[in-house]
Amino acid sequence: MCIFCKIVNGEIPNKTLLEDDDFLAFEDINPSRKIHALVIPKQHISSFDVMPPKVMGEMTAFIQKLASKLEIKDSGYRVISNIGEHGGQEVKHLHFHILAGEYVGKLVSN
Ligand code: AMP
């Protein structure tokens, strides 16, 4: 079972920011910005590349709700999904990085 599936089923602890029946948002263990959340579907989907469009729509609404909860809608934020080897994806369970809390617009190597 992958590490994010273990987070979903409670085997590995996490700092939950928002949760519903289908999605979970939690703090990245190694934050690269002041606010660094990860948003995942609870079902195992290996990457953005194989995500059904319907899930993308639902995740979009969930991320917008998370942005409200984190009070970053006005200041802004960045949404990133790394895909495969060249995309730098380490965890093979679809996730979106939500970066915020400071200027996060510049592309960086990490
Ligand atoms: P990626 O390189 O896009 O696959 O990103 C994987 C992210 O998962 C990294 O930013 C890690 O810091 C994060 N991560 C790995 N294990 C955990 C964990 N147990 N709890 C929270 N975040 C994690």
Side-chain angles (χ1 to χ4, degrees), residues 60-77:
T60 298
F62 185 84
I63 289 168
Q64 291 166 346
K65 196 171 168 189
L66 176 68
S68 290
K69 189 169 181 199
L70 297 178
E71 299 181 334
I72 56 174
K73 281 184 109 64
D74 290 342
S75 50
Y77 56 101

PDB file of all heavy atoms in Angstrom, residues 60-77:
ATOM      1  N   THR A  60     -11.190  20.247  -7.749  1.00  0.00           N
ATOM      2  CA  THR A  60     -11.133  21.703  -7.905  1.00  0.00           C
ATOM      3  C   THR A  60     -12.005  22.376  -6.849  1.00  0.00           C
ATOM      4  O   THR A  60     -11.562  23.317  -6.168  1.00  0.00           O
ATOM      5  CB  THR A  60     -11.592  22.106  -9.318  1.00  0.00           C
ATOM      6  OG1 THR A  60     -10.702  21.528 -10.268  1.00  0.00           O
ATOM      7  CG2 THR A  60     -11.595  23.611  -9.493  1.00  0.00           C
ATOM      8  N   ALA A  61     -13.228  21.894  -6.698  1.00  0.00           N
ATOM      9  CA  ALA A  61     -14.132  22.473  -5.695  1.00  0.00           C
ATOM     10  C   ALA A  61     -13.558  22.292  -4.287  1.00  0.00           C
ATOM     11  O   ALA A  61     -13.650  23.202  -3.444  1.00  0.00           O
ATOM     12  CB  ALA A  61     -15.509  21.826  -5.799  1.00  0.00           C
ATOM     13  N   PHE A  62     -12.943  21.146  -4.038  1.00  0.00           N
ATOM     14  CA  PHE A  62     -12.353  20.877  -2.721  1.00  0.00           C
ATOM     15  C   PHE A  62     -11.178  21.826  -2.444  1.00  0.00           C
ATOM     16  O   PHE A  62     -11.038  22.370  -1.341  1.00  0.00           O
ATOM     17  CB  PHE A  62     -11.894  19.414  -2.658  1.00  0.00           C
ATOM     18  CG  PHE A  62     -11.375  18.987  -1.312  1.00  0.00           C
ATOM     19  CD1 PHE A  62     -12.239  18.571  -0.311  1.00  0.00           C
ATOM     20  CD2 PHE A  62     -10.010  18.998  -1.046  1.00  0.00           C
ATOM     21  CE1 PHE A  62     -11.763  18.182   0.939  1.00  0.00           C
ATOM     22  CE2 PHE A  62      -9.516  18.610   0.191  1.00  0.00           C
ATOM     23  CZ  PHE A  62     -10.402  18.198   1.192  1.00  0.00           C
ATOM     24  N   ILE A  63     -10.346  22.047  -3.448  1.00  0.00           N
ATOM     25  CA  ILE A  63      -9.198  22.951  -3.287  1.00  0.00           C
ATOM     26  C   ILE A  63      -9.676  24.388  -3.047  1.00  0.00           C
ATOM     27  O   ILE A  63      -9.119  25.122  -2.221  1.00  0.00           O
ATOM     28  CB  ILE A  63      -8.252  22.848  -4.506  1.00  0.00           C
ATOM     29  CG1 ILE A  63      -7.531  21.494  -4.492  1.00  0.00           C
ATOM     30  CG2 ILE A  63      -7.241  24.000  -4.519  1.00  0.00           C
ATOM     31  CD1 ILE A  63      -6.786  21.158  -5.773  1.00  0.00           C
ATOM     32  N   GLN A  64     -10.726  24.780  -3.755  1.00  0.00           N
ATOM     33  CA  GLN A  64     -11.281  26.125  -3.535  1.00  0.00           C
ATOM     34  C   GLN A  64     -11.806  26.266  -2.103  1.00  0.00           C
ATOM     35  O   GLN A  64     -11.635  27.313  -1.463  1.00  0.00           O
ATOM     36  CB  GLN A  64     -12.381  26.404  -4.565  1.00  0.00           C
ATOM     37  CG  GLN A  64     -11.838  26.560  -5.975  1.00  0.00           C
ATOM     38  CD  GLN A  64     -12.917  26.505  -7.054  1.00  0.00           C
ATOM     39  OE1 GLN A  64     -14.052  26.102  -6.795  1.00  0.00           O
ATOM     40  NE2 GLN A  64     -12.555  26.881  -8.265  1.00  0.00           N
ATOM     41  N   LYS A  65     -12.409  25.210  -1.596  1.00  0.00           N
ATOM     42  CA  LYS A  65     -12.908  25.220  -0.212  1.00  0.00           C
ATOM     43  C   LYS A  65     -11.733  25.301   0.772  1.00  0.00           C
ATOM     44  O   LYS A  65     -11.774  26.026   1.770  1.00  0.00           O
ATOM     45  CB  LYS A  65     -13.729  23.939   0.025  1.00  0.00           C
ATOM     46  CG  LYS A  65     -14.606  23.965   1.240  1.00  0.00           C
ATOM     47  CD  LYS A  65     -15.522  22.741   1.231  1.00  0.00           C
ATOM     48  CE  LYS A  65     -16.201  22.592   2.570  1.00  0.00           C
ATOM     49  NZ  LYS A  65     -16.927  21.314   2.685  1.00  0.00           N
ATOM     50  N   LEU A  66     -10.669  24.556   0.472  1.00  0.00           N
ATOM     51  CA  LEU A  66      -9.471  24.605   1.312  1.00  0.00           C
ATOM     52  C   LEU A  66      -8.887  26.020   1.325  1.00  0.00           C
ATOM     53  O   LEU A  66      -8.492  26.533   2.388  1.00  0.00           O
ATOM     54  CB  LEU A  66      -8.433  23.607   0.791  1.00  0.00           C
ATOM     55  CG  LEU A  66      -7.081  23.621   1.508  1.00  0.00           C
ATOM     56  CD1 LEU A  66      -7.219  23.108   2.941  1.00  0.00           C
ATOM     57  CD2 LEU A  66      -6.050  22.782   0.747  1.00  0.00           C
ATOM     58  N   ALA A  67      -8.848  26.655   0.158  1.00  0.00           N
ATOM     59  CA  ALA A  67      -8.316  28.022   0.073  1.00  0.00           C
ATOM     60  C   ALA A  67      -9.122  28.974   0.950  1.00  0.00           C
ATOM     61  O   ALA A  67      -8.563  29.857   1.606  1.00  0.00           O
ATOM     62  CB  ALA A  67      -8.296  28.487  -1.376  1.00  0.00           C
ATOM     63  N   SER A  68     -10.424  28.793   0.986  1.00  0.00           N
ATOM     64  CA  SER A  68     -11.264  29.611   1.876  1.00  0.00           C
ATOM     65  C   SER A  68     -10.891  29.360   3.325  1.00  0.00           C
ATOM     66  O   SER A  68     -10.710  30.297   4.108  1.00  0.00           O
ATOM     67  CB  SER A  68     -12.744  29.275   1.685  1.00  0.00           C
ATOM     68  OG  SER A  68     -13.188  29.711   0.452  1.00  0.00           O
ATOM     69  N   LYS A  69     -10.768  28.080   3.673  1.00  0.00           N
ATOM     70  CA  LYS A  69     -10.478  27.723   5.066  1.00  0.00           C
ATOM     71  C   LYS A  69      -9.113  28.258   5.500  1.00  0.00           C
ATOM     72  O   LYS A  69      -8.935  28.693   6.639  1.00  0.00           O
ATOM     73  CB  LYS A  69     -10.543  26.202   5.243  1.00  0.00           C
ATOM     74  CG  LYS A  69     -10.466  25.799   6.686  1.00  0.00           C
ATOM     75  CD  LYS A  69     -10.780  24.358   6.942  1.00  0.00           C
ATOM     76  CE  LYS A  69     -10.688  24.092   8.443  1.00  0.00           C
ATOM     77  NZ  LYS A  69     -10.535  22.668   8.727  1.00  0.00           N
ATOM     78  N   LEU A  70      -8.144  28.233   4.605  1.00  0.00           N
ATOM     79  CA  LEU A  70      -6.793  28.709   4.931  1.00  0.00           C
ATOM     80  C   LEU A  70      -6.666  30.229   4.798  1.00  0.00           C
ATOM     81  O   LEU A  70      -5.611  30.793   5.081  1.00  0.00           O
ATOM     82  CB  LEU A  70      -5.762  28.025   4.016  1.00  0.00           C
ATOM     83  CG  LEU A  70      -5.637  26.505   4.149  1.00  0.00           C
ATOM     84  CD1 LEU A  70      -4.616  25.963   3.147  1.00  0.00           C
ATOM     85  CD2 LEU A  70      -5.236  26.097   5.568  1.00  0.00           C
ATOM     86  N   GLU A  71      -7.758  30.860   4.325  1.00  0.00           N
ATOM     87  CA  GLU A  71      -7.799  32.326   4.154  1.00  0.00           C
ATOM     88  C   GLU A  71      -6.693  32.823   3.235  1.00  0.00           C
ATOM     89  O   GLU A  71      -5.973  33.772   3.534  1.00  0.00           O
ATOM     90  CB  GLU A  71      -7.750  33.032   5.525  1.00  0.00           C
ATOM     91  CG  GLU A  71      -8.944  32.653   6.398  1.00  0.00           C
ATOM     92  CD  GLU A  71      -8.956  33.358   7.754  1.00  0.00           C
ATOM     93  OE1 GLU A  71      -7.869  33.729   8.229  1.00  0.00           O
ATOM     94  OE2 GLU A  71     -10.047  33.529   8.301  1.00  0.00           O
ATOM     95  N   ILE A  72      -6.550  32.134   2.107  1.00  0.00           N
ATOM     96  CA  ILE A  72      -5.515  32.508   1.135  1.00  0.00           C
ATOM     97  C   ILE A  72      -6.130  32.925  -0.205  1.00  0.00           C
ATOM     98  O   ILE A  72      -5.399  33.111  -1.187  1.00  0.00           O
ATOM     99  CB  ILE A  72      -4.496  31.361   0.914  1.00  0.00           C
ATOM    100  CG1 ILE A  72      -5.207  30.074   0.477  1.00  0.00           C
ATOM    101  CG2 ILE A  72      -3.681  31.135   2.186  1.00  0.00           C
ATOM    102  CD1 ILE A  72      -4.256  28.936   0.106  1.00  0.00           C
ATOM    103  N   LYS A  73      -7.447  33.035  -0.239  1.00  0.00           N
ATOM    104  CA  LYS A  73      -8.095  33.364  -1.512  1.00  0.00           C
ATOM    105  C   LYS A  73      -7.676  34.747  -2.012  1.00  0.00           C
ATOM    106  O   LYS A  73      -7.407  34.934  -3.192  1.00  0.00           O
ATOM    107  CB  LYS A  73      -9.622  33.300  -1.375  1.00  0.00           C
ATOM    108  CG  LYS A  73     -10.167  31.888  -1.420  1.00  0.00           C
ATOM    109  CD  LYS A  73     -11.671  31.848  -1.386  1.00  0.00           C
ATOM    110  CE  LYS A  73     -12.302  31.441  -2.693  1.00  0.00           C
ATOM    111  NZ  LYS A  73     -11.993  30.089  -3.132  1.00  0.00           N
ATOM    112  N   ASP A  74      -7.618  35.720  -1.110  1.00  0.00           N
ATOM    113  CA  ASP A  74      -7.287  37.084  -1.524  1.00  0.00           C
ATOM    114  C   ASP A  74      -5.803  37.238  -1.825  1.00  0.00           C
ATOM    115  O   ASP A  74      -5.413  37.866  -2.810  1.00  0.00           O
ATOM    116  CB  ASP A  74      -7.712  38.086  -0.439  1.00  0.00           C
ATOM    117  CG  ASP A  74      -9.224  38.207  -0.339  1.00  0.00           C
ATOM    118  OD1 ASP A  74      -9.908  37.799  -1.305  1.00  0.00           O
ATOM    119  OD2 ASP A  74      -9.721  38.687   0.691  1.00  0.00           O
ATOM    120  N   SER A  75      -4.958  36.654  -0.982  1.00  0.00           N
ATOM    121  CA  SER A  75      -3.507  36.817  -1.162  1.00  0.00           C
ATOM    122  C   SER A  75      -2.983  35.953  -2.302  1.00  0.00           C
ATOM    123  O   SER A  75      -1.978  36.278  -2.925  1.00  0.00           O
ATOM    124  CB  SER A  75      -2.779  36.493   0.137  1.00  0.00           C
ATOM    125  OG  SER A  75      -3.204  35.256   0.660  1.00  0.00           O
ATOM    126  N   GLY A  76      -3.653  34.841  -2.565  1.00  0.00           N
ATOM    127  CA  GLY A  76      -3.280  33.989  -3.680  1.00  0.00           C
ATOM    128  C   GLY A  76      -2.491  32.755  -3.269  1.00  0.00           C
ATOM    129  O   GLY A  76      -1.987  32.649  -2.149  1.00  0.00           O
ATOM    130  N   TYR A  77      -2.384  31.841  -4.205  1.00  0.00           N
ATOM    131  CA  TYR A  77      -1.717  30.573  -3.927  1.00  0.00           C
ATOM    132  C   TYR A  77      -1.352  29.899  -5.237  1.00  0.00           C
ATOM    133  O   TYR A  77      -1.748  30.355  -6.315  1.00  0.00           O
ATOM    134  CB  TYR A  77      -2.594  29.664  -3.063  1.00  0.00           C
ATOM    135  CG  TYR A  77      -3.972  29.363  -3.603  1.00  0.00           C
ATOM    136  CD1 TYR A  77      -4.239  28.146  -4.237  1.00  0.00           C
ATOM    137  CD2 TYR A  77      -5.013  30.281  -3.485  1.00  0.00           C
ATOM    138  CE1 TYR A  77      -5.516  27.850  -4.719  1.00  0.00           C
ATOM    139  CE2 TYR A  77      -6.287  29.994  -3.972  1.00  0.00           C
ATOM    140  CZ  TYR A  77      -6.529  28.782  -4.585  1.00  0.00           C
ATOM    141  OH  TYR A  77      -7.790  28.501  -5.067  1.00  0.00           O
TER     142      TYR A  77
END
